[in-house]
């Protein structure tokens, strides 16, 4: 076994391993071009295999020229593979190779193949090669003049490939410098092999080492790029994972928002239905209270008048609660004025006092705060709700004093007004505190709490441009903070109600004739008595069809109808009125305790009718009716 055999075996082993790895890598979509370099490594392996077999032949063996002819053809294929790898496009397809490269390769392979098969590349004589420094003596074939000419072909192919690598280096392609060095060594080995085969140089063939010198750097360059691509792919994977997570979070938030909107829509329908059912009895309760007040005034009964006035306050509070619940779902314009939060707190404390447990100590620290822009009645409701909750949650034993309830006002560092309510109760459950202020979330479900109180309060605070905070105290108990911007910095989306909704009494000489359509019998009776007291002649019906039939034979000045009615609704009644009595349709007045359907909401918001909310005072209703006789526009 000589050194040529060892070099050939080592080179063959390396080239076979590289060929297998490169062919596997070439299956990746972005690495199709690498398959051509797999062909480079494969042809180098074939060349080494031929050298390994040739190194084992005995001197004097017949027809030893086969190895020379086969290696010349393999060297040409090797050079052709180099050119394909160097000039192929990114997809690695044959069509991506420039036409001139394909022509050069085709001609070179055909010529080398024809010369090798013909046997004309090898001379008939053989020579003994002596390399004393390496202790080698072997018989080798000698190239013919044609073989020497064809031996230049793979050298030229490699030179053209080297020029392509040089151009890549000038374009800034990374890893090309080691490849160029490898090419220089490879070309030197190719020249040496050609000189040895020609008999000019007495040495061993170094072509196998030349293959290794250039194939190894390129392989390292390819795997370096593969590593970079893998890192980039890993980064892209992380980015995609983050994007997927972000989109998933957005989808979850959107889903939660849809659920929240559905719950709000359900709450809106509930509020409208509740408003309709509550405001109808409130309507005839208010008219009845007005009649009682007149009786008390004629009797000069001060106590009765005081009781009736407090009853009016109760009616107004009930109406305000229903209105706030509807307003949170669909905000309405209200008039905003400067309000002193200290007066708001005092009013809330007066209202909540009857609900305070016996022995509960309430400490107030009402420091000066800036004025806020808001609706005083709604702000009292905001403070009242957490105040009552705090009173009910503070424990109290018969012989043990309870922790005091502290209510304070102060100015925040950013200049806002703050109300702070601190109780000594058990605090908020950790799994609920982050969701307080959402509908149906409550800490008192066992006591019948629905969570709508804080929900409405939070909506009112946010409508005023403020914020509401909930937290547990370190030593026990809970704190609720309400912060509102000062009147100068407040930026809230409220406006004064349209002038058409604030009607003033219009004097009239003759008695007006009014047709009233109201499905609630008690409300209709109260309305008829109230209108009669205002010197208005009114006729009432509980069904719209009966009212339409009555109008065929009777005349009136104004028609007043309820909005939500069974059978023929208020908007259906208006449509029928427009066909039969268009003049009355223009002066139509609509009373509503709450629009609970999209059709009702659209009709009430159309601007073609005057919409009055229940409960309405007798004087305000009569003034609105009289104003419609003067103008046919809402």
């Amino acid at each position: 076994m000589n050194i040529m055999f060892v070099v050939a075996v080592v080179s063959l082993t390396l080239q076979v391993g590289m060929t297998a790895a490169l062919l596997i890598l070439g299956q990746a979509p972005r690495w199709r071009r690498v398959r051509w370099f797999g062909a480079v490594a494969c042809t180098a392996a074939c060349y080494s295999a031929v050298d390994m077999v040739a190194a084992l032949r005995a001197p004097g063996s017949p027809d030893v020229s086969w190895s020379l002819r086969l290696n010349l053809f393999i060297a040409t294929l090797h050079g052709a593979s180099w050119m394909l790898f160097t000039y192929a496009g990114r997809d690695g397809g044959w069509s991506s190779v420039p036409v001139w490269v394909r022509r050069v390769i085709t001609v070179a392979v055909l010529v080398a193949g024809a010369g090798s098969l013909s046997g004309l590349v090898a001379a008939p004589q053989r020579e003994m090669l002596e390399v004393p420094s390496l202790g080698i003596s072997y018989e080798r074939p000698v190239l013919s003049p044609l073989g020497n000419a064809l031996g230049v072909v793979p050298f030229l192919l490699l030179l053209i490939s080297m020029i392509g690598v040089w151009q890549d280096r000038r374009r800034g392609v990374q890893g090309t410098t080691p490849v160029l060095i490898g090419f220089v060594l490879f070309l030197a080995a190719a020249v040496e092999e050609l000189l040895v085969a020609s008999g000019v140089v007495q040495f061993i063939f170094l072509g196998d080492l030349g293959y290794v010198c250039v194939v190894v750097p390129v392989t390292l360059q390819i795997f370096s790029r593969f590593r970079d691509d893998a890192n980039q792919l890993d980064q892209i994977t992380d980015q995609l994972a983050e994007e997927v997570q972000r989109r998933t979070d957005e989808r979850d938030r959107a889903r939660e928002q849809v659920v929240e909107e559905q719950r709000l829509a359900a709450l809106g329908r509930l509020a409208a239905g509740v408003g309709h059912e509550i405001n109808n009895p409130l309507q005839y309760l208010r008219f009845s209270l007005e009649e009682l007040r007149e009786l008390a005034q004629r009797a000069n009964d001060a106590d009765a008048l005081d009781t009736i006035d407090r009853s009016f306050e109760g009616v107004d509070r009930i109406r305000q609660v229903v209105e706030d619940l509807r307003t949170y779902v669909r905000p309405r314009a209200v008039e905003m004025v400067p309000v002193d939060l200290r007066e708001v707190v005092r009013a809330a404390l007066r209202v909540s006092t009857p609900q305070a447990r016996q022995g509960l100590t309430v400490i107030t620290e009402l420091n000066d705060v800036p004025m806020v822009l808001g609706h005083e009645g709604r702000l009292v409701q905001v403070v009242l709700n957490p105040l009552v909750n705090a009173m009910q949650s503070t424990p109290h034993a018969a012989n043990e004093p309870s922790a005091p309830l502290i209510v304070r006002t102060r100015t925040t560092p950013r200049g806002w007004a703050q109300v702070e309510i601190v109780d000594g109760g058990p605090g908020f459950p950790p799994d609920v505190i982050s969701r307080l202020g959402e509908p149906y979330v409550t800490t008192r479900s066992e006591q019948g709490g629905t969570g709508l109180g804080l929900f409405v309060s939070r909506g009112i605070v946010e409508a005023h441009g403020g914020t509401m905070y909930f937290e547990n105290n370190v030593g026990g108990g809970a704190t609720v903070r309400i912060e509102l911007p000062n009147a100068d910095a407040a930026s809230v989306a409220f406006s004064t109600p349209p002038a058409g909704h604030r009607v003033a009494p219009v004097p009239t000489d003759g008695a007006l004739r009014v047709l009233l359509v109201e499905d609630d019998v008690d409300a209709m009776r109260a309305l008829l008595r109230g209108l009669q007291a205002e010197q208005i002649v009114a006729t009432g019906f509980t069904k719209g069809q009966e009212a339409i039939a009555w109008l065929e034979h009777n005349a009136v000045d104004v028609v007043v109808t309820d909005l939500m009615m069974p059978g023929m609704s208020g908007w259906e009644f208006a449509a029928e009125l427009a066909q039969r009595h268009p003049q009355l349709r223009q002066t139509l007045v609509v009373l509503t305790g709450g629009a609970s359907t999209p059709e009702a909401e659209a009709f009430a918001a159309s601007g073609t009718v005057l919409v009055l909310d229940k409960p309405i005072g007798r004087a305000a209703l009569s003034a609105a009716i009289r104003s419609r006789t003067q103008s046919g526009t809402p």
Side-chain angles (χ1 to χ4, degrees), residues 326-400:
R326 289 191 301 168
T327 299
Y328 184 77
V329 181
R330 290 181 179 85
R332 299 178 58 183
V334 296
E335 188 172 0
M336 308 292 284
V337 296
V339 177
D340 188 344
L341 272 188
R342 294 174 299 177
E343 295 302 322
V344 169
V345 172
R346 292 188 182 102
L349 287 171
R350 286 195 299 270
V351 175
S352 63
T353 298
Q355 303 188 51
R357 297 184 179 182
Q358 185 178 6
L360 176 65
T361 302
V362 179
I363 300 175
T364 58
E365 301 175 4
L366 303 183
N367 302 306
D368 291 341
V369 291
M371 301 289 285
V372 300
L373 193 63
H375 186 281
E376 185 172 2
R378 292 181 177 177
L379 292 179
V380 170
Q381 181 183 348
V382 168
V383 177
L384 180 63
N385 189 280
L387 188 59
V388 171
N389 289 344
M391 290 179 175
Q392 294 177 349
S393 64
T394 302
H396 175 65
N399 299 322
E400 297 181 5

Side-chain angles (χ1 to χ4, degrees), residues 72-92:
L72 180 61
F73 181 66
I74 293 175
T76 304
L77 291 177
H78 184 75
S81 300
W82 266 111
M83 287 192 65
L84 289 172
F85 172 70
T86 304
Y87 291 100
R90 187 171 184 177
D91 62 350

Side-chain angles (χ1 to χ4, degrees), residues 72 75-76 121 143-156 190 194 198:
L72 180 61
T76 304
V121 296
L143 285 174
S144 66
L146 177 61
N148 288 328
L150 292 179
V152 179
V153 173
F155 179 83
L156 292 177
L194 182 61
S198 302

Side-chain angles (χ1 to χ4, degrees), residues 129-140:
L129 182 62
E130 300 287 344
V131 186
S133 59
L134 300 178
I136 296 175
S137 177
Y138 64 94
E139 188 179 49
R140 63 170 177 82

